[in-house]
Every structure is written in structure tokens, then in C-alpha cells.
Amino acid sequence: MNSSKAKITFFCFLLFLLAAAFQMPETQQNPASFTSGEWQYIIVGDTVQITGYTGFSRVVEIPAELDHYPVTVIGEDVFRDRTEIQRVRFPDSVETIGPAAFLGCTSLEEVIFGSGLTQIQMEAFRYCESLKEISFPLSLMTIGTAAFEGCTGLQTLLLPDSVIAVSSSAFQYCSNLSDITFSRNLRTLGENAFDSTPWLEAQTDEFVFVGNWILLKYNGNDPVVTVPIQTTAIVDAFMNHITLEEVILPRTLTEIGGNAFNGCLNLKSIDIPETVISIGNYAFQGCRTLKEVVLPKSLKTIGINAFHECTSLETIELPAGVKNIHSRQFAFCPALTRFAIPATVDSIHDIAFENSNNITFEVVYGTLGEEYAKEKMIPYTYLIEKNADFTFRRSEEGIEIISYLGQLYEVRVPDFIEDLPVWKIGPGAFQQSAYVRSVVIPESIREIGDWAFSNIPTLTSVRIADGAKKIGANAFTGSHNLWDLVIPASVDEIGLKAFDGCPNLTIQTTPGTVAWTQAEQAEIPHTDPFAAIPDFQIETQDGEYVLTGYIGAGYDVTLVSDVVGLKVTKVGAAAFESGAVQVVRIPEGYTTIESQAFASMLYPMTIVLPESITEIAEDAFENTDVTFMAKTGTAAEAYAREHELKFQVLYW
């Protein structure tokens, strides 16, 4: 009885531990809330975040610490719509004033910040219409979206040099704000930050700059504008300038900010320099005559609605640095027919291309762009990419080589590019190359496109491995110095005029193949490469070269490794059966020894086996006194151990 109780108790304890374990992440994500007097708060790490205020004072003193932890954050909505508050004092410990913390505090007249404040987040003091003046500490760095929007009583503003970023609409509709001193280090400015303020309306210079050479306003009417060379960012400056037709941007520019060219109905031409890293919200919205924009490789971000309603825009190619396509970035662009999405894009908003109904995507195989196109039933093709030697396109079949970029005389087409098999040499891929003399084509290639090796005056030799199925029309046309062309038996289709204009050509292929027949019909010299191999009989079986017999008289034999550069991979069935050979050396590249290949040999024999051998038939050495020589850890060693054959370790 006691034992049963103990087991039950232990079982309950385990359940308790499991329940606690499963609850632990939730507890960590939602810290416990505490109350001290009129303050509600949570403890995050070694600091306090205030989450609520239950008092009714007109003058609020934020405590420097609670529960012996410093107060560093005023949380979201803590004082929202508390219209009785007139004055707030912050301790030096507070670093962050959270979203909408004092939104709608319409009686708030005075705010005294502590010396530790670094950020004021979005809508923190929105619609605090009784605020007339603010003194920011020298520690402040960022002011969030709409943080002081609608503070209609605010008259003067001093942004200390510590401020580096002011977000969109931060001081919009501050209808009495007429005196502003800007931080010299202000580098980021959101759209409409000072819209509808007397200060902005009073600026009459042709180019109005703030902070670190941010162009905020343009007061001219010229159709062609050259932006001053020192400009680092443009925000709001050309909004609704319907006379603007062309803009020349300086190489100092790093940001085309929010609303920069919004509503420029007649903007036709803009050359974005390679220094630009971001394009802001609504930057080109409504630029209805803009047909082409070349986005620089330096670009990292594009904001919402950036090209919304650019009704004449035809093509866009996103650079690799752009990772997100945001809401309505390219919506209502009916002329947009080509849009290239690189593999780096990892998020696309559901309505990014709303009502851009004529668009075709260019995407990278297996990426989000392809997935999005399929989901939205948007037509797509695969994007052309580039490495040091080739331009290429991925697809479900693998890699298609589009063009050769290298400058080598002897080219070996790769089996793989970025872990995908190279299956096709595309139309004209090597056409008119000024360097290529010889080309070796691997087993992965299934198709050689039309004109692929045409009109190459330096080309003398092309060797195609087993596996290729098709050679396109005019594939070698006009390569008049081509004399050595190896075509395997696997090729079952050759296009028209594939060898026209190749007067020196001799085709090496096997009798009975499509290539042999075409060579005869076109009266092109042709030879059987197998016929020229002494001592060995070679055949093509299922697209592989197989050694099927030995007709030599030697006792120490090294097997042929290739035929005109193409690997022999198998020792065929009964190839040496009942023979007198005593030593056989198989070169690297062979993978298989078939049934009875060395059965019933007349003398004891030694066979040297490569690491590439992976398959040996059970009866391959039946009734033969054989000694294996191979490296340890190979399939050959495993076979010898399993069949109790003599084995010597090969050290080289």
C-alpha cells in the first residue's frame, strides 16, 4: 500500500514538473505584473517598465525606481487620454517613452525629461495640444512616428545634436510651430515630419536643407533640376511639383526618402546613383509618366507605396540587397510587364502588386518569388543569374547555361552550379567566343541548344559525354576550324545544319547512331573511336561505356580508362572469363564489375581496384584464385572480407 502511494506521489510530481516546463516559456514571455501604490509595472531583466498608473494627480512625478530596480521604460498607453495631467517630470533613469504613452493628454503643459532619455516612440505625445515648449535632453537620439503630431500649442523646438532620427509625421499639424533649431547630426527624417507647420511654410530658399544636408523642400519650378552635390537625403522636397520632368541626383545621396517625388505627374527621367541604399514610403507614388527606373545594386530597402500608381512604369529589376517587398509598392502599375525578383527576397506583401495585372515575374527557381507567383497565379519565367564564367538560369530540370563569360582556351563545362546539375547549354551560349579552342561537355548535359557553338573561329575540339540527348539546329555552324567532335550514342536528335560550314570536321561516333547516319548523309568524315582501341572491346550500354572483352595477349594489363576523353565505367559480364591474365589494374573512374567478369581464370591473379568501384557482382570472381589490392575503407575491401578473399592494403 505504501509503495503504491509512493508511486502515485512520484507520478504526480512528474506531471507537475512537465506542466511547469510547458508553462515556463509563457511565463518568460509575459512577465508577472506588480503594483506599488499608484504604479503598475513589470520587471524586465534588471529594470522596471511602468505599465499602468491609477493616480489622479495633475502633476505626475515618475519614480526613479520600483522594487529596488531602476525605472527605464514608460510602457504603451500608460497615460493615454488622461486629460487631467498638466505636468510630468521624468527621472534620469528613464530611457524610453513607449507608444502612445501620453497620447490625448490635452491639458499637458509641461514635460521635464531626465538626462538618460534616448528614444520617444510613436504617438507618445500625440494631440497634447497644450504643450508650448519642449526641452529635450542631450541624450535623446530618436523621435518616433507621429510622436508630437497635432501638438497645436507647440511654438518652438530645439533638437539637440544627439538626435539622429525623426520619424514620419513626428511634428505634423503643429499649427503654431514657427521656430525650429535642427540637430546637425540628423541623418534620418521621415515623410511629413514637419508638414503643416508655419516654420516649413516660411522657408523660401530654392533648396531648404535640415540636419546633415537633408533636402526637405524645393521652392523652384524648373522642369530639369540638378540637386546640390552635398545632399545626403531627399524627403518631401519635390512632392506634387507637376512641372518637374527630369532630376539629376548627386553621388553624395544615400536616401530617397518618403514623399520625395510623390505626385510628380510629369517626371520622365531619373538616374538613381549607386550610393542610394533606401527608397522611402510613397517616394515615387503617382509619377504617371515615369517609364523606367534602374534600381542601384546598393539599394537595401523600399518603403510602402513607393511606386504606387506609376502607370507608365514598364520594367523593374530588384537588386539582390532588397529583402522585402512591402504593401502596394508596385500596385496600380498597369504598364508594368517585367519584374525581376532575386533569391534574396524573403517577404512579399499580399497586395504588393495589387491591380498590376499585366506583370510577368522573373524569379529564381525554388525561392519565395516563384512560390508567390504560383500562389497569385502571376505568369513567371526564371531569372538569369551570373557567376565568374557563365550566365545561367535555374529551373526544375537544373541549370541552363545562357552564355559563356570566361576567357579560357580550354573549357570544361561544370557538372553542377550551386548544387544544381547543369542540364543544358542554351542557344548561342558560346557563339562567337574569341577565346575557346576546346570544350569538354559533362554527363549531366542533356541538350545543346541551337547555335550553341556556332561561328567560333578558334574552336577545334568538342567532346560530348554520354547522357546528351539533343543537339540543336546550327549548333556548330561556321566554326570552320573544328576538326574533332565526339558525339555519344545517347544523342538521338540532331537539328538541321548542325555542322554546316565546318570543312575540316571529322565526327567520332559509333556505327548505327543518329550521328553516324547524319555524317554519312552529309558526307562528313566519321570514325568509330572504339575501333582504334587495341586489345579491348568497348560497347555503349544504356548511355555508359562498358569494357566487354579483352583480345590482347598480355599477362599484366591496365584497363583502358576512357575513349576519346569519355570515361569507361564498367567491366562487363564475362569480359575476362577463362583468360590467362595474371595482373589487372583498374583505373579510377570504373564503378562496376559485372557477373562472371573474372570467373574461372587459368592462373592465380592479382587485381588492383580503385576507390570509385562501388558494385561487384557476387560471382564476378567465381572459381578464380584472386588477391585484391585496394585502400582500406573501400567497397573493394568490404567485398574481399565478405567473400574471404586475399586482401592487400594499397597505400598510394
Side-chain angles (χ1 to χ4, degrees):
M1 186 72 176
N2 291 338
S3 175
S4 298
K5 286 183 177 179
K7 288 180 179 178
I8 292 171
T9 301
F10 178 71
F11 180 72
C12 291
F13 178 68
L14 284 178
L15 287 177
F16 172 78
L17 288 179
L18 285 171
F22 280 110
Q23 291 174 0
M24 195 173 299
E26 184 178 349
T27 303
Q28 291 174 344
Q29 292 174 6
N30 300 287
S33 181
F34 301 94
T35 300
S36 177
E38 57 193 9
W39 301 104
Q40 295 170 343
Y41 62 96
I42 58 174
I43 298 174
V44 181
D46 295 328
T47 64
V48 161
Q49 175 178 328
I50 290 177
T51 58
Y53 173 68
T54 59
F56 296 95
S57 298
R58 294 182 178 182
V59 178
V60 176
E61 292 276 347
I62 307 294
E65 62 176 45
L66 289 168
D67 204 11
H68 305 294
Y69 291 107
V71 174
T72 59
V73 177
I74 308 301
E76 185 172 1
D77 293 332
V78 171
F79 298 95
R80 181 170 185 153
D81 295 327
R82 299 296 296 270
T83 57
E84 77 278 7
I85 297 176
Q86 296 178 352
R87 183 173 182 269
V88 176
R89 177 187 290 273
F90 294 88
D92 293 342
S93 61
V94 170
E95 300 171 359
T96 301
I97 300 175
F102 294 89
L103 186 150
C105 292
T106 55
S107 300
L108 184 61
E109 298 176 357
E110 184 181 14
V111 177
I112 302 172
F113 296 110
S115 61
L117 183 67
T118 60
Q119 58 177 322
I120 298 172
Q121 296 185 341
M122 61 184 299
E123 300 183 323
F125 294 92
R126 192 180 192 188
Y127 303 139
C128 292
E129 58 191 37
S130 296
L131 273 177
K132 290 183 172 60
E133 186 177 351
I134 306 171
S135 178
F136 292 123
L138 297 177
S139 56
L140 182 65
M141 298 180 69
T142 63
I143 299 175
T145 299
F148 293 90
E149 182 183 2
C151 290
T152 55
L154 194 61
Q155 297 176 6
T156 62
L157 179 66
L158 170 61
L159 295 175
D161 288 342
S162 58
V163 174
I164 60 173
V166 175
S167 298
S168 59
S169 303
F171 296 92
Q172 189 176 26
Y173 304 124
C174 291
S175 55
N176 285 295
L177 182 57
S178 57
D179 184 11
I180 303 176
T181 302
F182 284 90
S183 163
R184 291 174 296 180
N185 296 311
L186 182 65
R187 287 172 169 78
T188 301
L189 184 63
E191 67 274 8
N192 298 318
F194 300 96
D195 182 49
S196 300
T197 63
W199 174 86
L200 185 61
E201 294 169 3
Q203 305 307 306
T204 58
D205 290 346
E206 182 181 13
F207 297 99
V208 178
F209 289 97
V210 298
N212 185 38
W213 293 105
I214 299 171
L215 178 58
L216 182 60
K217 188 179 181 183
Y218 170 68
N219 285 310
N221 291 299
D222 295 333
V224 179
V225 176
T226 299
V227 175
I229 195 168
Q230 68 268 37
T231 307
T232 61
I234 301 172
V235 181
D236 295 340
F238 296 93
M239 186 174 179
N240 295 325
H241 277 60
I242 59 175
T243 58
L244 187 67
E245 296 180 7
E246 181 181 354
V247 178
I248 301 166
L249 301 177
R251 296 298 181 253
T252 53
L253 191 69
T254 60
E255 179 184 356
I256 297 176
N259 285 332
F261 300 96
N262 186 350
C264 293
L265 300 179
N266 294 299
L267 180 63
K268 297 179 177 65
S269 176
I270 187 166
D271 180 12
I272 302 177
E274 285 293 333
T275 51
V276 170
I277 60 174
S278 68
I279 294 175
N281 301 333
Y282 313 99
F284 293 94
Q285 177 173 269
C287 293
R288 295 177 179 272
T289 57
L290 189 62
K291 288 187 176 182
E292 183 182 5
V293 175
V294 178
L295 300 179
K297 294 178 182 178
S298 56
L299 192 65
K300 304 296 182 186
T301 61
I302 303 175
I304 62 170
N305 291 64
F307 293 91
H308 180 239
E309 293 184 341
C310 289
T311 53
S312 299
L313 191 62
E314 296 176 351
T315 65
I316 285 287
E317 185 167 335
L318 287 187
V322 175
K323 298 188 181 301
N324 306 297
I325 301 176
H326 295 298
S327 173
R328 291 194 171 92
Q329 268 185 3
F330 299 92
F332 293 86
C333 297
L336 188 59
T337 56
R338 175 181 174 266
F339 193 94
I341 303 177
T344 50
V345 169
D346 54 25
S347 73
I348 305 176
H349 196 278
D350 193 54
I351 57 172
F353 302 93
E354 182 182 22
N355 284 339
S356 295
N357 297 325
N358 298 308
I359 199 167
T360 295
F361 283 172
E362 289 185 4
V363 301
V364 177
Y365 171 70
T367 62
L368 178 65
E370 181 186 26
E371 180 184 331
Y372 184 90
K374 289 178 178 178
E375 178 188 339
K376 299 293 184 181
M377 293 185 289
I378 296 172
Y380 68 93
T381 60
Y382 289 112
L383 188 66
I384 294 176
E385 302 173 79
K386 183 169 67 173
N387 63 18
D389 294 317
F390 301 99
T391 62
F392 58 92
R393 181 189 288 119
R394 307 176 203 229
S395 68
E396 294 177 359
E397 292 90 350
I399 297 288
E400 176 186 354
I401 289 175
I402 304 301
S403 65
Y404 176 62
L405 305 175
Q407 299 180 0
L408 297 177
Y409 294 149
E410 298 178 355
V411 178
R412 298 188 69 88
V413 176
D415 297 85
F416 291 85
I417 293 178
E418 297 185 9
D419 298 326
L420 286 177
V422 179
W423 78 279
K424 181 179 180 179
I425 297 174
F430 287 80
Q431 191 175 39
Q432 297 181 338
S433 171
Y435 300 95
V436 177
R437 295 177 183 174
S438 68
V439 180
V440 176
I441 297 173
E443 297 173 356
S444 63
I445 295 294
R446 295 292 175 265
E447 185 175 332
I448 297 171
D450 299 349
W451 303 93
F453 296 95
S454 64
N455 300 307
I456 307 177
T458 55
L459 185 65
T460 60
S461 174
V462 177
R463 298 191 170 193
I464 306 170
D466 282 323
K469 304 293 290 181
K470 179 181 178 181
I471 296 175
N474 300 96
F476 300 95
T477 292
S479 293
H480 56 264
N481 285 312
L482 179 63
W483 63 268
D484 177 28
L485 175 59
V486 177
I487 302 178
S490 58
V491 172
D492 55 22
E493 181 181 349
I494 299 177
L496 294 173
K497 300 181 180 181
F499 314 111
D500 274 16
C502 300
N504 301 306
L505 180 62
T506 296
I507 294 176
Q508 298 193 56
T509 189
T510 50
T513 62
V514 170
W516 186 277
T517 301
Q518 284 222 4
E520 285 186 332
Q521 292 174 350
E523 298 182 352
I524 298 172
H526 49 287
T527 62
D528 180 0
F530 297 149
I533 300 173
D535 300 336
F536 299 103
Q537 295 174 333
I538 307 290
E539 295 179 6
T540 302
Q541 298 177 3
D542 299 325
E544 294 185 271
Y545 285 168
V546 180
L547 191 154
T548 58
Y550 176 64
I551 55 178
Y555 290 95
D556 187 330
V557 177
T558 299
L559 304 192
V560 61
S561 63
D562 61 83
V563 180
V564 290
L566 306 176
K567 290 287 187 183
V568 181
T569 59
K570 292 183 179 180
V571 181
F576 289 83
E577 184 180 17
S578 302
V581 174
Q582 297 177 33
V583 178
V584 174
R585 307 172 199 277
I586 301 180
E588 193 69 34
Y590 278 77
T591 62
T592 306
I593 300 174
E594 294 187 332
S595 174
Q596 297 283 311
F598 297 96
S600 304
M601 299 298 285
L602 300 179
Y603 303 105
M605 68 172 289
T606 298
I607 186 166
V608 181
L609 296 152
E611 293 180 79
S612 58
I613 288 286
T614 57
E615 185 178 348
I616 304 173
E618 285 292 315
D619 61 350
F621 297 91
E622 188 175 63
N623 298 323
T624 295
D625 182 3
V626 63
T627 299
F628 273 28
M629 292 185 68
K631 291 183 178 180
T632 57
T634 60
E637 182 192 19
Y639 183 93
R641 304 298 186 201
E642 181 182 347
H643 293 81
E644 298 181 352
L645 302 178
K646 288 175 281 187
F647 179 79
Q648 294 182 14
V649 177
L650 193 64
Y651 292 102
W652 63 88

